[in-house]
Amino acid sequence: MTTEGPEFRPERRASTAVPTVEGEPAPASPATRVPTCLVVLGGEQFAIDVRHLREVMIVEKLTAVPGAPAFLRGLASLRGEVLAILDVAPVLGLPSCEVGPAGKALVLEPASRQVAIVVDEVLGIETFDEIRPIEDTRPNEHAAFGMGWLERDGRPVTLLDIPKVVDELKVRSQAAGRRGAGPRRPRRANPISEDDNDE
């Protein structure tokens, strides 16, 4: 596996949360600037706060996981670390991302998750001066997973709440396991669980 250049690595900085007053965007200031990674998922642009990302990886080889849910595209190795490669696009109501030769995935923080999400394309790093409330844009299926939206080239780009998206996949995985439970059998490890004792 190889990674993109070191310029991607997120800076450790104070919270970039943006307060709003009566639905109005916060005024621009250095304290409210939001550094994001712009990506394409299922054919649509999204922004992800770089604090949730460790690096971009090239997915050279995927190992299938028999019986795994459809959103788990497989396992990949990054410098000896085994990562679950997830496709979050269907949760957002979008077509699945393609995982072809030299496809890209975003490795998430914290490292204990051991998770990367596949993307159609990485557009680069861009910093925005304000986050607008999600209610200010038209409702859609991925609005439930948005922290707000950012304006880019006159168009709204959803700022994804990546931890919430991954947690939703975990919930769906556990629910599918309960529905499919027949006679008691040995428990299979959940590759997207952060804690082996999670139920």
Side-chain angles (χ1 to χ4, degrees):
M1 295 291 162
T2 57
T3 60
E4 298 293 292
E7 69 279 359
F8 176 80
R9 295 186 182 278
E11 299 176 15
R12 300 296 176 191
R13 59 173 67 196
S15 172
T16 54
V18 181
T20 60
V21 178
E22 297 180 1
E24 291 298 314
S29 76
T32 61
R33 289 172 67 79
V34 186
T36 70
C37 179
L38 292 172
V39 299
V40 177
L41 295 167
E44 287 196 25
Q45 285 188 26
F46 292 90
I48 300 172
D49 190 321
V50 297
R51 292 175 302 164
H52 297 308
L53 306 177
R54 184 167 25 139
E55 59 188 295
V56 179
M57 67 180 287
I58 305 299
V59 183
E60 295 175 347
K61 181 180 179 182
L62 272 178
T63 300
V65 180
F71 60 77
L72 175 59
R73 303 299 290 271
L75 304 177
S77 176
L78 176 64
R79 297 187 295 274
E81 178 184 9
V82 177
L83 300 172
I85 306 298
L86 308 182
D87 183 3
V88 302
V91 172
L92 305 173
L94 299 169
S96 294
C97 293
E98 294 297 324
V99 189
K104 293 182 179 179
L106 305 177
V107 183
L108 304 187
E109 290 280 23
S112 60
R113 279 189 181 268
Q114 295 182 296
V115 161
I117 60 170
V118 67
V119 296
D120 292 323
E121 189 177 355
V122 176
L123 301 176
I125 301 297
E126 192 162 329
T127 299
F128 294 85
D129 291 327
E130 62 187 27
I131 303 175
R132 294 179 180 273
I134 201 71
E135 296 82 10
D136 285 0
T137 188
R138 70 181 190 279
N140 51 45
E141 195 161 346
H142 48 72
F145 299 100
M147 300 173 67
W149 63 275
L150 311 166
E151 186 172 343
R152 183 172 189 258
D153 298 331
R155 299 176 59 186
V157 176
T158 300
L159 178 64
L160 278 183
D161 186 339
I162 280 295
K164 186 175 181 180
V165 174
V166 173
D167 287 344
E168 174 65 16
L169 290 178
K170 182 178 175 182
V171 168
R172 293 186 185 191
S173 176
Q174 291 172 341
R178 286 192 294 271
R179 284 197 303 271
R184 188 169 180 81
R185 49 191 160 188
R187 184 182 174 199
R188 174 179 295 162
N190 183 344
I192 67 169
S193 175
E194 295 179 57
D195 183 343
D196 288 340
N197 295 318
D198 259 356
E199 292 294 342

